């Protein structure tokens, strides 16, 4: 397992601690503070594990990723998963574009679909047992790229996926009124002896 710890040192900085400083594999909670007003956040760390899977042609992109993430979390008794890396191709994909301004100045969340073979250039995101937040960049046959929030897709030749899990950390999604979206909430996973 890979393990990294951060510890608050002074008012405005975090310092990485080695495993021997905190005990091998023991998750820890620390506070980050950049010195800016209301910039404090809680950072939760724990050992991470990598889980590799190949998703076959014609499989649904999103449900396959969610299924693989659930299996990875179950294998490590984790409640937090993330995409480490992905390579492959899609025969169709639908992405939601960022809140770009239209020419008339109003905000939009345009959704675009490509029904053509594309390469996955990048795929990143966080997953819970019930939800996902995935962003993807694709390359079209002329080499141009486009990216956005993953809505749907179908695998063309393959999706070689590595999913990471974090022991002792829990990811949940909760409505954030300031953004209008269900945003990530990171917390320390309750231990069995704490229940």
């Amino acid at each position: 397992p890979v393990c990294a710890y951060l510890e608050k040192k002074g008012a405005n900085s975090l310092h990485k601690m080695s495993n021997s400083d905190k005990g091998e594999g023991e998750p820890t909670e620390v506070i980050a503070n950049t010195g800016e007003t209301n910039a404090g956040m809680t950072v939760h760390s724990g050992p991470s594990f990598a889980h590799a899977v190949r998703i076959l042609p014609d499989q649904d992109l999103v449900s396959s990723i969610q299924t693989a993430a659930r299996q990875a979390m179950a294998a490590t008794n984790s409640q937090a998963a993330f995409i480490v890396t992905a390579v492959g191709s899609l025969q169709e994909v639908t992405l939601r574009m960022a809140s770009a301004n239209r020419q008339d100045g109003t905000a939009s969340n345009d959704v675009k679909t490509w029904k053509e073979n594309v390469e996955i250039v990048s795929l990143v995101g966080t997953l819970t047992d019930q939800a996902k937040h995935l962003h993807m960049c694709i390359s079209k046959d002329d080499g141009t790229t486009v990216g956005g929030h993953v809505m749907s897709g179908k695998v063309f030749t393959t999706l070689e996926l590595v999913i990471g899990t974090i022991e002792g950390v829990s990811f949940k999604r909760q409505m954030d009124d300031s953004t209008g979206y269900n945003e990530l909430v990171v917390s320390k996973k309750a231990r069995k002896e704490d229940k």
Side-chain angles (χ1 to χ4, degrees), residues 31-195:
I31 303 299
N33 188 340
T34 64
E36 300 172 28
T37 305
N38 296 324
M41 66 186 107
T42 303
V43 177
H44 298 281
S45 302
S48 294
F49 299 88
H51 312 267
V53 62
R54 177 177 177 227
I55 299 172
L56 301 174
D58 299 319
Q59 297 300 303
D60 180 80
L61 174 69
V62 174
S63 64
S64 295
I65 292 171
Q66 288 178 302
T67 297
R70 284 186 198 106
Q71 290 175 356
M73 287 185 282
T76 57
N77 193 25
S78 174
Q79 295 177 351
F82 58 96
I83 304 296
V84 176
T85 191
V87 64
S89 61
L90 302 172
Q91 55 188 285
E92 64 181 71
V93 64
T94 300
L95 303 176
R96 187 183 73 222
M97 304 295 102
S99 293
N101 286 331
R102 295 187 180 102
Q103 289 183 341
D104 66 3
T106 61
S108 70
N109 274 324
D110 291 337
V111 175
K112 297 182 179 180
T113 299
W114 290 266
K115 292 190 177 204
E116 59 187 275
N117 296 339
V118 297
E119 291 288 329
I120 298 170
V121 177
S122 175
L123 173 61
V124 296
T126 54
L127 301 110
T128 72
D129 60 346
Q130 298 296 316
K132 50 84 179 150
H133 187 187
L134 303 170
H135 286 198
M136 176 183 285
C137 183
I138 58 170
S139 174
K140 299 190 288 184
D141 65 354
D142 64 359
T144 58
T145 58
V146 65
H149 178 90
V150 176
M151 303 297 290
S152 65
K154 186 182 277 192
V155 175
F156 176 46
T157 59
T158 191
L159 174 57
E160 300 163 11
L161 182 65
V162 179
I163 295 174
T165 57
I166 310 170
E167 187 178 289
V169 174
S170 175
F171 287 171
K172 300 246 186 261
R173 295 238 157 240
Q174 180 177 313
M175 177 55 71
D176 183 333
D177 293 334
S178 69
T179 67
Y181 292 102
N182 286 325
E183 302 291 4
L184 185 67
V185 175
V186 181
S187 61
K188 183 186 270 187
K189 181 180 170 191
R191 297 178 302 178
K192 288 180 183 176
E193 56 267 20
D194 292 340
K195 291 183 177 179

Side-chain angles (χ1 to χ4, degrees), residues 22-35:
K22 290 289 182 185
E24 184 66 31
E26 179 183 324
T28 186
E29 178 179 335
V30 296
I31 303 299
N33 188 340
T34 64

